[in-house]
């Protein structure tokens, strides 16, 4: 079989299910000198949940920091095209044994070299059970990984650094989309200083990316400055970034309008009807690889068993997604018809069982009554939890109004003051009801919307759902050699989700952001994040 190669500075040509709909150009953009004499770009953000260690960062506030501090083997352009960054080449004769060649000249910002071992040791640490890293499940396909005991991918032969520039990765089965994943934070390298003191490193990380950490004032701001030793294609065109921790999006938007903030990542719902006019060509409202669901915790007895499934279906049918996306979001959301995203190849409206997402008040009431006949709850109030420092209460209130009207039960918003407090409650399994599950894709493939969220034991399986048939179907799809075959298998996996409803899809998000007239060259990517290294600002 001919080898599959990710050539240096060339977009990865994966058609069908495994690549984003919009195609990347044939070559990555040329690097240009840093405009370090420009201004500092201020960006709306929030407090990261965890220390800034790549394998511990699986939320957006920390993610945007880590993505700018580190460079991976590949990176994603605005359309989701995949380009080599630290990798010179990524090759495999069989999609199971991958040989990765590290390009010359890469160093961490402390001056130490980036080698094959920098990746091998970082991945090995991230995968080890005892280290309890949030993104450990990304290493599941590599030989030696275990959910049950502490193991080493290096000792098991899954990762072999043959020399400073050659890393050989052995998977447990062929996986054709493996190179696409390698631009995600889980696969970033780490310098030796990390292993000497991981706790200290998390507060002051040393990366190899376009920026370096200058300061982190918790619950206030994170300051990044250009890395003069960065040799990749994401060369900063500004003098640095100040990521400001806001506790509500209305305040961020008002600061943007008042000239006190350069970029807002998310427009609050209070401005959906007006922001495009108010910002006069300095806004974005475009599809992105983001979905919102209501996660159903498996620990809630009222949603277990036959009656529990009927209640899940009843709640889903009670939600008028079309009305909410139009009235609350002014068309900046699209009612969901599956568990992935329309901007990902392989998406379809024709998943068996997805009619459970149709608004049907009579059917919803009947399903709830059937559940009550099996396991009565009586006077019951459904809680829907989320963080209060982002603009979620408006749509939760609208969903609850549907549920109260259609199902004749109570329903109310259960707020957590900040995003990190909400995440901690979610991760500890202490949320008292259904809770918001927002997913922004890590890499542009169908698999990323399914396995990390619903696979047994996966790091973002926050509802703690487990289904052997679903896990088996995911494994089968991952091993598909042709994109068309993978699409069919992922559709079958989604059909299993619709049979069980571990989450209730609500809508797909558009990237809705904006910027002040103080900055230029602002673009938002396929994953809804602003591409910060290319932003320019006068002093």
């Amino acid at each position: 079989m001919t080898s599959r190669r990710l050539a240096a500075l060339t977009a990865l040509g994966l058609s069908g299910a495994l690549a984003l709909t919009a195609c990347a150009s044939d070559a990555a953009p040329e690097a240009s000198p840093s405009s370090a004499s420009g201004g500092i770009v201020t960006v709306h953000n929030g407090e990261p949940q965890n220390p800034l260690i790549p394998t511990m960062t699986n939320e957006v506030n920390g993610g945007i920091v880590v993505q700018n501090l580190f460079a991976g083997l590949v990176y994603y352009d605005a359309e989701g095209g995949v380009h080599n960054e630290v990798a010179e080449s990524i090759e495999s004769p069989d999609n199971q044994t991958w040989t990765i060649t590290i390009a010359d000249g890469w160093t961490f910002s402390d001056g130490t070299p980036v080698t094959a071992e920098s990746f091998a040791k970082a991945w090995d640490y991230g995968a080890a059970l005892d280290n309890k890293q949030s993104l450990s499940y990304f290493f599941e396909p590599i030989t030696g990984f275990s959910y049950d005991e502490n193991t080493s991918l290096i000792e098991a032969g899954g990762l072999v650094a043959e020399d400073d520039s050659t890393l050989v990765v052995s998977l447990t089965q062929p996986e054709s989309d493996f190179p696409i994943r390698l631009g995600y934070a889980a696969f970033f390298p780490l310098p030796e200083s990390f292993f000497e003191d991981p706790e200290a490193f998390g507060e002051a990380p040393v990366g190899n990316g376009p920026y370096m950490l200058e300061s982190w004032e918790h619950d206030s701001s994170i300051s990044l400055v250009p890395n003069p030793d960065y040799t990749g294609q994401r060369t900063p065109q500004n003098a640095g970034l100040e990521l400001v921790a806001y506790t509500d999006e209305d305040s961020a938007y008002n600061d943007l309008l008042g000239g006190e903030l350069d970029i807002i990542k998310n427009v609050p719902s209070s401005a959906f009807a007006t922001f495009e006019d108010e910002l006069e060509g300095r806004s974005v409202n475009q599809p992105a690889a983001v979905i919102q669901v209501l996660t159903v915790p498996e620990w809630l007895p009222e949603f277990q068993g036959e009656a529990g499934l009927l209640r899940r279906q009843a709640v889903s049918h009670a939600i008028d997604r079309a009305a909410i996306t139009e009235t609350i979001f002014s068309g900046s959301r699209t009612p969901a018809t599956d568990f992935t995203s329309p901007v990902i190849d392989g998406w379809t409206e024709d998943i068996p069982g997805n009619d459970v997402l149709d608004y049907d008040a009579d059917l919803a009431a009947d399903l709830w009554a059937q559940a009550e006949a099996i396991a009565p709850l009586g006077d019951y109030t459904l809680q829907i939890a989320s963080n209060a420092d982002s603009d979620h209460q408006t749509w939760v209130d609208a969903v609850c109004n549907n549920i109260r009207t259609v199902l004749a039960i109570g329903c109310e918003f259960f707020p957590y003051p900040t995003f990190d407090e909400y995440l901690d409650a979610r991760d500890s399994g202490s949320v008292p009801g259904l809770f918001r599950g927002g997913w922004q894709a890590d890499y542009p493939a169908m698999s990323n919307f399914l396995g990390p969220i619903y696979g047994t034991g996966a790091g973002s399986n926050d509802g703690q759902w487990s289904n052997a048939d679903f896990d088996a179907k995911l494994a089968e799809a991952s091993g598909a050699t042709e994109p068309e075959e993978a699409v069919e298998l992922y559709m079958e996996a989604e059909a299993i989700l619709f049979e069980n409803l571990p989450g209730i899809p609500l809508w797909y998000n558009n990237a809705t952001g904006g910027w002040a007239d103080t900055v230029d060259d602002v673009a938002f990517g396929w994953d809804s994040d602003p591409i910060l290294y290319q932003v320019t600002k006068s002093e």
Side-chain angles (χ1 to χ4, degrees), residues 44 90 94 96 98 217 245 259 313 406 461 488 503:
H44 154 234
I90 303 174
D94 56 6
Q96 185 165 357
W98 295 88
E217 186 178 345
Q313 295 168 345
V406 173
N461 186 344
E488 292 300 319

Side-chain angles (χ1 to χ4, degrees), residues 414-432:
F414 190 93
Y416 289 89
T418 64
F419 188 43
D420 54 332
E421 289 175 274
Y422 165 64
L423 295 178
D424 289 341
R426 183 200 67 184
D427 294 348
S428 67
S430 61
V431 178

Side-chain angles (χ1 to χ4, degrees), residues 154-168:
I154 294 174
E155 292 177 5
L159 299 173
V160 177
E162 293 188 337
D163 51 46
D164 283 351
S165 61
T166 308
L167 175 65
V168 178

Side-chain angles (χ1 to χ4, degrees), residues 47 62 89 124 137 163 185 246 324 379 398 493:
E47 175 71 4
S89 63
D124 194 52
Y137 60 94
D163 51 46
Y246 282 88
I324 292 173
D379 186 15

Side-chain angles (χ1 to χ4, degrees), residues 53 55 116-133 135-140 142-146 149-161 167-169 185-190 192 194-195:
I53 298 170
T55 49
E117 190 175 61
S118 305
F119 287 93
K121 290 182 67 174
W123 299 5
D124 194 52
Y125 181 93
L129 185 66
D130 285 0
N131 293 330
K132 300 178 181 179
Q133 299 294 285
L135 302 182
S136 62
Y137 60 94
F138 274 91
F139 305 104
E140 181 180 7
I142 300 176
T143 299
F145 181 86
S146 174
E149 58 182 337
N150 201 54
T151 59
S152 167
L153 305 183
I154 294 174
E155 292 177 5
L159 299 173
V160 177
L167 175 65
V168 178
V169 183
F187 298 101
F188 288 164
L190 289 170
E192 284 300 316
F194 167 80
F195 303 99

Side-chain angles (χ1 to χ4, degrees), residues 296 309 312-313 316 339 356 497-505:
V296 183
L309 179 57
R312 296 170 194 236
Q313 295 168 345
S316 183
F339 285 83
V356 75
L497 294 180
F498 278 119
E499 289 174 3
N500 294 271
L501 287 181
I504 300 171

